[in-house]
Amino acid sequence: MAARRSPTTTEPASFSGTSKRERILRAAVEVFARSGYFNAKVTDIAKGAGVADGTIYLYFDGKEDLLVTIFREYTRNYLHELEKRLAGVNRAEERIRITITHHLETLGSDRPLAVVSQVELRHSLKFMSLLSQQEVADYLNMLRKVVEHGQAEGVFRRNLHPQLVAKSVFGILDEMVTSWILSEKEYDLAAQAEPVADFVLNGLL
Amino acid sequence: MAARRSPTTTEPASFSGTSKRERILRAAVEVFARSGYFNAKVTDIAKGAGVADGTIYLYFDGKEDLLVTIFREYTRNYLHELEKRLAGVNRAEERIRITITHHLETLGSDRPLAVVSQVELRHSLKFMSLLSQQEVADYLNMLRKVVEHGQAEGVFRRNLHPQLVAKSVFGILDEMVTSWILSEKEYDLAAQAEPVADFVLNGLL
Amino acid sequence: MAARRSPTTTEPASFSGTSKRERILRAAVEVFARSGYFNAKVTDIAKGAGVADGTIYLYFDGKEDLLVTIFREYTRNYLHELEKRLAGVNRAEERIRITITHHLETLGSDRPLAVVSQVELRHSLKFMSLLSQQEVADYLNMLRKVVEHGQAEGVFRRNLHPQLVAKSVFGILDEMVTSWILSEKEYDLAAQAEPVADFVLNGLL
Amino acid sequence: MAARRSPTTTEPASFSGTSKRERILRAAVEVFARSGYFNAKVTDIAKGAGVADGTIYLYFDGKEDLLVTIFREYTRNYLHELEKRLAGVNRAEERIRITITHHLETLGSDRPLAVVSQVELRHSLKFMSLLSQQEVADYLNMLRKVVEHGQAEGVFRRNLHPQLVAKSVFGILDEMVTSWILSEKEYDLAAQAEPVADFVLNGLL
DNA sequence: GATGAATGAGGATTCATTCAT
DNA sequence: AATGAATGAATCCTCATTCAT
């Protein structure tokens, strides 16, 4: 008998070459973005990934784990990319600009991910605490170091509390993304990087 | 015998003098803050307000209406107060400072409300869109006008896009509140007003 | 000051001159016919009668009592009228014809009542038992006596069981009414009296 | 070792050999007959069928669908059986007798089904309309054709409206069943077939 | 590893009824 | 007699998760 595909491997063409785990994760991002975490049905994620409901439980602990994992993996990836972009850049001002650009470019190019990141990851205090203790904290620390570095260099004002600046920059970026998601008109989020950097660096006055 | 309450009016002391409607609303803020919107049980809100479950439906359309109403009423109130504080203040810089202070003081003095505002109001795209179209938009407009006013006066830099500044300030304040809520140590949120204003006005450089 | 109606007496014009009790009963017939017993809301009956919800409980024991009372009162009235029409009529065949005509005319001229009678009075075994033990039994007895009378006279066949004939005639009339209610076209129910009588008297052969 | 049931199939003896779907349907008939449709609890049906509450929703759309399905399936089956009994019978009078007998035998041998059929299927105009448009109409048509056939043969009187006769026969049978259900004494419903046929064929005179 | 039929806990909401006025 | 605000019991259905195959 000629070689034939095993029946179980028959999958929608679009899935070819991606691991089940990745497909589930991506389907989850899309379903969460579309329906919201609480209204998202595991069945729909399974359908989106082209697997059986039960299969999801072979890779993840459940619906909540899916959300946490999405956040962790995408954040980890985000930070790695950012580090790469920052490698070799020494000027503090330039590091700030790159960080801002990276944030807006990354989320600006993946709306479902942005929705999950801005909306779905924030439904419960417990969940937000969990995330902010690890991943968000890492991000804020990175920002804080850039500021401290700039202050040590003498480029940034010394009478600013670095942690407060870090939070402020994060807050601005966060709001830019949220605002973009909710906007009725489509526009290029990354285009905001320059004016945002200008404001952060120079202030109002 | 001193004047005494009629038997039907006998209510837990803490409820005295408050209308049922207000008691329900306040109980909802507390339960939503404690358990999260989706996990909040209507029964618990009723219990907290000292009314029967069904009574809630005499005043509100349901659980979701409770959340929307909380937001609308507290925001309206917030904006009124802010307007009062700004009345008679002409210097743009001062108006910015007052706005920042008002934001941080108001939420910094009512943690449950802050939790609902930062966390519970953001579970779904649909819900966020709803809110951002009306109330948040009003707030952003108010901020924008302050900026434009300052630019007209020649105090604020003219090459800043007022809407972007408005969003930035809002984003910073939002993050300050969220960060305060999630913080393990208790601290005075309003105390951040001064450094935040400094950053907003002068930037990093 | 010109004479004015006392505020509590202000009622829809159509109610004038009818006692509250009757208005409630009639409103109940209409609401039951429209929505079905289980879906009928006491509030709607009150609204229809122009009284407060609580007022209904001054006249009736509750929703179920309303249904029972409707049935009892309308049936009592029905039987009284029938007796009047039968008074002085001796020929058994004529008595049958009158009975048939009375049934179809009475229900054929009050659709909501017919709906309640054919549909709403029959939701539960318990309820049907209750009614069939008293009022329906009275009606069947009356029919049975007409048959027995006709048999004694020698006009009706003696080898028919009178009770079975009574039930049969009732069954036919009942189905005529039900069928009329459910029919999409409007037609005169009473016009069926003659052919029905013909069938009952002469059979198929 | 003799063949034995697989562990998962271990079910109460009474369920053996019946599919879940059928068990649910039968349990529904019994619970509806016992408690009435509106008072019937889905949980009780599940318990009666030996399945979990949620399982019912894998097979049916809900409580109402259960009632509709019962009616449709039992009626379909009823009509099939009737057709089989009528096959090859040509004499119109005999066809009438068989129809009457089939009706009374079928319902007379399954009291819960008879209760559902006579009582529970009739709570609402909407529901009755639904059913009478399809299944009841089919039944009446079948009866009507028997009458027309008899008239064509010259056995039945030509001055009878076939549709009216069909409704009358249906009405008589319906009342016999209802009366039997409500009766306090138990008796053989099928025994009524002969006298009913006699009445239908020969009338009162 | 995969499947998907089966499970069953959990809760918002309705509405008949009450009773202080 | 009349009101109508308040009560609170009662239940259908959903859907995350399991586990036999």
Side-chain angles (χ1 to χ4, degrees), chain D residues 15-150:
Chain D
F15 296 148
S16 322
T18 339
S19 78
K20 279 209 170 74
R21 188 172 182 284
E22 280 173 280
R23 271 158 41 202
I24 292 169
L25 232 31
R26 186 64 210 175
V29 169
E30 262 142 31
V31 174
F32 286 157
R34 196 185 321 126
S35 325
Y37 174 77
F38 276 95
N39 296 314
K41 285 180 269 180
V42 173
T43 287
D44 290 338
I45 298 175
K47 225 164 273 165
V51 300
D53 292 21
T55 304
I56 290 179
Y57 295 84
L58 295 178
Y59 294 92
F60 302 95
D61 285 342
K63 205 177 151 182
E64 179 159 335
D65 185 38
L66 232 22
L67 190 58
V68 175
T69 304
I70 286 168
F71 182 69
R72 292 218 197 286
E73 306 219 337
Y74 282 96
T75 305
R76 188 174 313 154
N77 189 52
Y78 172 86
L79 289 175
H80 281 290
E81 297 289 330
L82 177 54
E83 271 161 12
K84 274 198 262 174
R85 280 175 89 158
L86 288 175
V89 178
N90 280 317
R91 293 185 49 237
E93 187 184 323
E94 187 58 13
R95 290 175 74 90
I96 285 283
R97 287 183 193 281
I98 288 173
T99 304
I100 291 170
T101 303
H102 187 60
H103 194 128
L104 299 179
E105 275 180 8
T106 305
L107 292 174
S109 68
D110 189 344
R111 200 171 183 282
L113 182 61
V115 170
V116 172
S117 144
Q118 302 306 112
V119 185
E120 298 314 322
L121 287 166
R122 313 186 182 197
H123 347 247
S124 75
L125 208 48
K126 155 179 156 280
F127 202 72
M128 284 183 75
S129 301
L130 180 74
L131 303 182
S132 73
Q133 251 143 41
Q134 187 70 56
E135 283 77 9
V136 176
D138 287 351
Y139 192 23
L140 288 176
N141 280 336
M142 176 174 269
L143 273 165
R144 207 193 62 224
K145 277 175 197 155
V146 176
V147 174
E148 286 167 348
H149 179 67

Side-chain angles (χ1 to χ4, degrees), chain A:
Chain A
M1 190 196 288
R4 60 177 186 77
R5 305 168 122 279
S6 108
T8 35
T9 325
T10 306
E11 288 154 5
S14 63
F15 295 148
S16 321
T18 338
S19 79
K20 277 206 170 82
R21 187 173 184 286
E22 278 173 279
R23 270 157 42 200
I24 293 169
L25 233 31
R26 187 63 209 175
V29 170
E30 262 142 32
V31 173
F32 287 156
R34 195 183 326 124
S35 324
Y37 174 76
F38 275 95
N39 296 315
K41 288 179 242 170
V42 174
T43 283
D44 290 338
I45 298 175
K47 222 163 279 165
V51 301
D53 294 18
T55 304
I56 289 179
Y57 294 84
L58 297 175
Y59 294 92
F60 303 95
D61 285 342
K63 201 176 156 183
E64 179 157 337
D65 184 38
L66 232 24
L67 191 58
V68 175
T69 304
I70 285 167
F71 184 69
R72 293 219 197 285
E73 306 220 337
Y74 282 94
T75 305
R76 185 173 317 151
N77 188 53
Y78 172 87
L79 290 175
H80 280 209
E81 299 288 331
L82 178 53
E83 271 162 11
K84 275 198 263 174
R85 281 177 90 159
L86 289 175
V89 178
N90 280 317
R91 294 185 48 237
E93 187 183 323
E94 186 58 12
R95 291 176 73 88
I96 285 283
R97 289 183 189 280
I98 289 174
T99 303
I100 290 170
T101 304
H102 188 59
H103 194 126
L104 300 179
E105 276 180 6
T106 305
L107 292 174
S109 66
D110 188 345
R111 200 169 184 280
L113 182 61
V115 171
V116 172
S117 145
Q118 301 307 111
V119 186
E120 298 313 323
L121 288 166
R122 312 185 183 198
H123 356 239
S124 76
L125 207 49
K126 155 179 156 277
F127 201 73
M128 284 182 75
S129 302
L130 180 74
L131 303 181
S132 72
Q133 251 142 42
Q134 187 69 52
E135 282 77 11
V136 177
D138 286 352
Y139 191 24
L140 288 176
N141 279 336
M142 176 173 270
L143 273 164
R144 206 193 62 226
K145 277 176 198 153
V146 177
V147 175
E148 286 168 349
H149 180 67
Q151 290 178 321
E153 272 184 335
V155 209
F156 294 162
R157 293 194 287 130
R158 291 237 167 80
N159 51 347
L160 287 168
H161 194 305
Q163 178 71 3
L164 182 136
V165 175
K167 286 188 204 172
S168 295
V169 173
F170 180 73
I172 294 171
L173 293 171
D174 209 56
E175 176 59 24
M176 292 300 142
V177 178
T178 299
S179 187
W180 173 72
I181 283 171
L182 296 175
S183 169
E184 272 147 356
K185 3 182 221 279
E186 303 231 341
Y187 58 87
D188 180 15
L189 181 58
Q192 309 259 28
E194 186 43 45
V196 165
D198 171 47
F199 175 66
V200 165
L201 293 167
N202 302 306
L204 268 169
L205 299 178

Side-chain angles (χ1 to χ4, degrees), chain C residues 62-93:
Chain C
K63 200 177 158 183
E64 178 159 336
D65 185 38
L66 231 24
L67 190 58
V68 175
T69 303
I70 286 167
F71 183 69
R72 290 216 199 290
E73 304 219 340
Y74 282 94
T75 306
R76 187 174 313 151
N77 188 53
Y78 172 86
L79 289 176
H80 280 203
E81 298 289 332
L82 178 53
E83 271 162 11
K84 275 199 261 174
R85 282 176 90 158
L86 288 176
V89 178
N90 279 317
R91 293 185 50 236
E93 189 184 321

Side-chain angles (χ1 to χ4, degrees), chain B residues 9-20:
Chain B
T9 327
T10 305
E11 287 154 2
S14 63
F15 296 148
S16 322
T18 338
S19 77
K20 279 206 169 76

Side-chain angles (χ1 to χ4, degrees), chain D residues 141-200:
Chain D
N141 280 336
M142 176 174 269
L143 273 165
R144 207 193 62 224
K145 277 175 197 155
V146 176
V147 174
E148 286 167 348
H149 179 67
Q151 291 178 319
E153 271 184 336
V155 211
F156 294 162
R157 294 194 286 131
R158 292 236 166 81
N159 52 348
L160 288 167
H161 195 306
Q163 178 72 2
L164 181 137
V165 175
K167 286 187 202 170
S168 295
V169 173
F170 180 73
I172 293 171
L173 293 171
D174 209 57
E175 175 60 24
M176 292 299 139
V177 179
T178 300
S179 185
W180 173 72
I181 282 169
L182 296 174
S183 169
E184 273 149 354
K185 356 183 225 285
E186 303 229 341
Y187 59 87
D188 181 15
L189 180 57
Q192 309 259 29
E194 187 42 46
V196 164
D198 171 46
F199 176 66
V200 164

Side-chain angles (χ1 to χ4, degrees), chain B residues 20 52 54-55 58-59:
Chain B
K20 279 206 169 76
T55 303
L58 294 177
Y59 295 91

